[in-house]
Amino acid sequence: PMYQISGLKLVANFTDLYFINETTGVIVGNNSIALKTTDGGKTFTKGTGIAASDQLPSVTFDGIKYFATATKLLDGFGTSTILNSLDGSEWSYLKQIRSVELKKVHYYSNTWGYAVGIDGTLLKTTDGGVNWRDRITALSNRFNDVYFKTVDTGIAIIENLEGKGQIWKTYN
């Protein structure tokens, strides 16, 4: 079935969602949209603290906080940051990562996280997002999604230069 968010006048492309249980979750999208529900989607409140020009392609939850990637496009180039929120309604900027579009962030725990993006970008944090390190992928493709089930065991969806999907998996 299709659902419509009633009562909100929004023009947005919704890009991702994360529910921590059957009633509480966050939906993110373009045009600086972060919406929180605590009643299973009957009502939503708009998050605050997000710049009007930011596009939010992803959201995740580490057990304590929500994290979202935010991309600002300037002159055709993207600059990405990571936002966080304790409850999904008030957001703050955690760290500007780099001048490349990040497509997805995933936290395995409240300290270990991964972010992926265009040009084969794979970043890893071990301190909750204070510092991010490049992980060598030897790829020029675009990572669209990432999930790690343990600290070092992960899987990602990649779009290659011909627009075809590939699955990437860690092996060590």
Side-chain angles (χ1 to χ4, degrees):
M2 294 290 288
Y3 293 93
Q4 179 178 347
I5 299 175
S6 61
L8 292 175
K9 294 181 180 180
L10 297 174
V11 177
N13 238 355
F14 296 110
T15 54
D16 201 11
L17 58 90
Y18 196 100
F19 273 71
I20 60 173
N21 57 41
E22 63 185 43
T23 60
T24 304
V26 172
I27 298 173
V28 296
N30 295 342
N31 302 329
S32 69
I33 296 297
L35 303 174
K36 178 186 176 183
T37 183
T38 56
D39 57 13
K42 293 178 186 169
T43 61
F44 288 88
T45 55
K46 188 173 183 214
T48 60
I50 304 166
S53 59
D54 281 353
Q55 312 299 310
L56 305 178
S58 74
V59 64
T60 190
F61 186 76
D62 72 355
I64 298 172
K65 295 180 189 173
Y66 288 96
F67 293 88
T69 54
T71 300
K72 185 181 310 289
L73 296 176
L74 299 170
D75 298 326
F77 296 99
T79 300
S80 291
T81 56
I82 303 286
L83 296 128
N84 68 14
S85 174
L86 282 173
D87 65 358
S89 58
E90 294 180 26
W91 293 85
S92 61
Y93 287 83
L94 181 64
K95 179 94 174 175
Q96 179 171 334
I97 303 297
R98 57 178 26 199
S99 59
V100 69
E101 279 184 66
L102 293 177
K103 294 297 182 185
K104 190 74 170 187
V105 62
H106 174 79
Y107 271 77
Y108 168 71
S109 69
N110 61 350
T111 56
W112 291 76
Y114 295 85
V116 295
I118 64 171
D119 297 331
T121 301
L122 173 63
L123 305 172
K124 179 180 182 179
T125 183
T126 58
D127 57 13
V130 175
N131 296 293
W132 292 84
R133 292 187 318 264
D134 279 305
R135 307 301 292 173
I136 304 298
T137 65
L139 297 171
S140 59
N141 303 334
R142 179 172 108 173
F143 280 92
N144 286 326
D145 203 350
V146 65
Y147 175 80
F148 275 76
K149 69 177 186 174
T150 68
V151 170
D152 292 312
T153 304
I155 192 164
I157 298 171
I158 300 171
E159 182 179 328
N160 68 19
L161 297 176
E162 293 82 39
K164 297 178 181 174
Q166 298 175 329
I167 297 175
W168 177 86
K169 185 177 185 284
T170 60
Y171 57 88
N172 57 6

